Amino acid sequence: MKKFYCYSKCSTCKKAKKWLDEHQVAYEAIDLVETPPTRAELLEFFAKSSRPLRYFFNTSGQDYRRLGLKDQVATLTKEEAAQMMSENGKLIKRPLLVDDHQVTCGFKPEVYEQTWH
């Protein structure tokens, strides 16, 4: 079962959810802010992706800017990043969609089509 980490007030998450529903993709919706992935889960997600850590961060988010992470992300270890994100779901780029083999952050219809359809 795919896990769809989203934030109910996020327009991008709403678009992604609509796409999943229209394409009859089964998923479990999880509130990214109320129940962020655990540190261990995040480390698994990083391992499933060839993307850099920056890909997983909500770089346009207020918390990201407030914490000055722009200058820190390049030097963070995966463990440090996972710990920060597990404690503050707003640091994670949303929506985050994962299954046993793949992970995507954000929503681009062409990426969803290629990855999840």
Side-chain angles (χ1 to χ4, degrees), residues 14-83:
K14 290 175 186 173
K15 290 175 192 170
K17 184 179 184 311
K18 183 177 186 238
W19 188 97
L20 291 168
D21 292 342
E22 286 175 353
H23 290 82
Q24 300 175 348
V25 176
Y27 60 90
E28 173 190 0
I30 301 167
D31 187 299
L32 189 60
V33 178
E34 295 290 322
T35 314
T38 65
R39 180 180 175 278
E41 287 172 324
L42 285 159
L43 288 170
E44 282 181 37
F45 302 162
F46 298 162
K48 289 178 191 176
S49 174
S50 59
R51 302 271 194 158
L53 278 179
R54 177 177 231 69
Y55 173 74
F56 293 91
F57 276 96
N58 178 9
T59 57
S60 59
Q62 292 177 356
D63 289 3
Y64 181 88
R65 290 195 302 264
R66 181 176 49 79
L67 295 169
L69 292 176
K70 179 182 178 188
D71 301 323
Q72 297 177 42
V73 170
T75 59
L76 287 177
T77 66
K78 288 181 179 181
E79 290 76 13
E80 290 168 333
Q83 187 64 43

Side-chain angles (χ1 to χ4, degrees), residues 77-116:
T77 66
K78 288 181 179 181
E79 290 76 13
E80 290 168 333
Q83 187 64 43
M84 292 174 78
M85 291 177 180
S86 69
E87 293 170 357
N88 182 349
K90 287 189 176 181
L91 291 177
I92 302 170
K93 185 173 184 176
R94 59 187 183 247
L96 171 65
L97 185 58
V98 299
D99 68 9
D100 291 339
H101 310 286
Q102 304 177 105
V103 57
T104 59
C105 287
F107 173 64
K108 290 185 178 166
E110 63 275 14
V111 172
Y112 268 43
E113 185 71 39
Q114 182 180 357
T115 310
W116 305 113

